[in-house]
Amino acid sequence: MNDGPSRIGVVGCGLMGAGIAEICARAGLDVLVAVSGPSSVDRARRRVADSLSRLADKGKIDREEADAAARRIRITSALEDFADREFVFESVTENETTKAEVFTALDGVLRDSDAILATNTSSLPIVRLAKATRRPERVIGTHFFNPVPVLPLVEVTASLLTSEETLHTTEALLTGPLGKQVIRSRDRAGFIVNALLVPYLLSAVRMVESGHATAEEIDTGMTLGCAHPIGPLRLIDLIGVDTLTQVASGLYEEYRDPVYSVPPLLARMADGGLLGRKSGQGFYAYPS
């Protein structure tokens, strides 16, 4: 791995996983994506192909580049196929047990003892995921932002057990071929961005819940009054009500600060499947 990893694995092909796979393929890297089962393979392939096609349609990349990137991505439902991977991005649901199970499985599959395991968590302690493996010094956090191909930032979080070599290799991959900008965060729930962002989003939910203002009024106030590119309630719909609920719960568990407590309205929306854009209904409706 002296020249940097070229065989990349991505576990999970939701919005974040697909975006990570896409930017790796566009960088000329060999990408293997793992999905949950055989029935998800075609759906994952379509998601990546559609995203590349949209970029070509908008003139962001040419059609030949889009086709070449698509050819660099293979999809599998078997983690055993990851044996030759040098660097693996995990991007499954924001659940510590699920992520730890993935890390344990990958640890048993990867042949290269120097292979790095990176988690795209936005709130979970990196050190606890590292301890699910026999290579804790090769585990690191890489928190991308949605949409991955567009937003330039990645929060890189080394645990107390992460080696300097792992940190440097990861940052070189992100800032080099992947073209991202990196900020370092300590291994604390929420890292930098979510530790600041989540209380703001939850405050907006509480304003709706109390009848203080409507979602539209709050979002208009923050976009036109504070020059935010998107209002907090529309941002929650983009992130996913379920994802925000999980992240906020993790922050509250760590800090026990009421600013991170999940408002009842948000919890009931998550229970009812009103998840935002992904379900078609959140604080706003998203017709098909």
Side-chain angles (χ1 to χ4, degrees), residues 33-55:
V33 178
V35 294
S36 57
S39 62
S40 301
V41 170
D42 288 340
R43 183 166 64 249
R45 187 176 290 113
R46 285 195 304 272
R47 171 170 277 168
V48 174
D50 288 348
S51 178
L52 288 166
S53 181
R54 284 194 297 271
L55 287 175

Side-chain angles (χ1 to χ4, degrees), residues 37-158:
S39 62
S40 301
V41 170
D42 288 340
R43 183 166 64 249
R45 187 176 290 113
R46 285 195 304 272
R47 171 170 277 168
V48 174
D50 288 348
S51 178
L52 288 166
S53 181
R54 284 194 297 271
L55 287 175
D57 291 342
K58 293 176 181 178
K60 303 291 185 181
I61 58 176
D62 58 43
R63 184 63 61 179
E64 291 75 16
E65 183 182 351
D67 291 342
R71 288 193 296 271
R72 295 189 192 102
I73 299 174
R74 292 175 291 133
I75 314 290
T76 182
S77 60
L79 276 184
E80 292 79 8
D81 294 340
F82 274 52
D84 69 339
R85 298 295 96 180
E86 299 171 298
F87 196 109
V88 179
F89 292 103
E90 166 274 313
S91 186
V92 301
T93 186
E94 189 73 359
N95 177 277
E96 184 175 334
T97 300
T98 302
K99 288 180 180 289
E101 289 173 350
V102 169
F103 271 56
T104 299
L106 286 168
D107 187 47
V109 165
L110 295 169
R111 287 197 297 261
D112 186 352
S113 61
D114 289 332
I116 293 172
L117 296 171
T119 176
N120 184 43
T121 182
S122 57
S123 63
L124 298 174
I126 307 303
V127 73
R128 294 214 294 251
L129 298 178
K131 290 297 289 182
T133 76
R134 296 166 297 178
R135 62 180 86 201
E137 74 283 357
R138 310 298 289 177
V139 175
I140 195 166
T142 51
H143 178 211
F144 290 82
F145 291 80
N146 185 35
V148 174
V150 176
L151 295 184
L153 183 66
V154 180
E155 287 182 304
V156 171
T157 304

Side-chain angles (χ1 to χ4, degrees), residues 198-210 233 236 241 244-246 248-249 252 258-271 283:
V198 169
Y200 161 66
L201 298 179
L202 298 182
S203 293
V205 175
R206 293 187 185 101
M207 290 186 79
V208 174
E209 187 173 52
S210 68
L233 286 312
I236 291 171
V241 168
L244 177 60
T245 300
Q246 292 166 337
S249 296
Y252 183 75
V259 299
Y260 297 117
S261 63
V262 177
L265 174 59
L266 195 72
R268 294 296 83 75
M269 290 175 68
D271 292 340
F283 288 97

Side-chain angles (χ1 to χ4, degrees), residues 171-185:
E171 290 185 338
L173 172 64
L174 292 170
T175 60
L178 300 189
K180 294 297 186 182
Q181 184 168 332
V182 163
I183 57 174
R184 291 187 183 184
S185 170

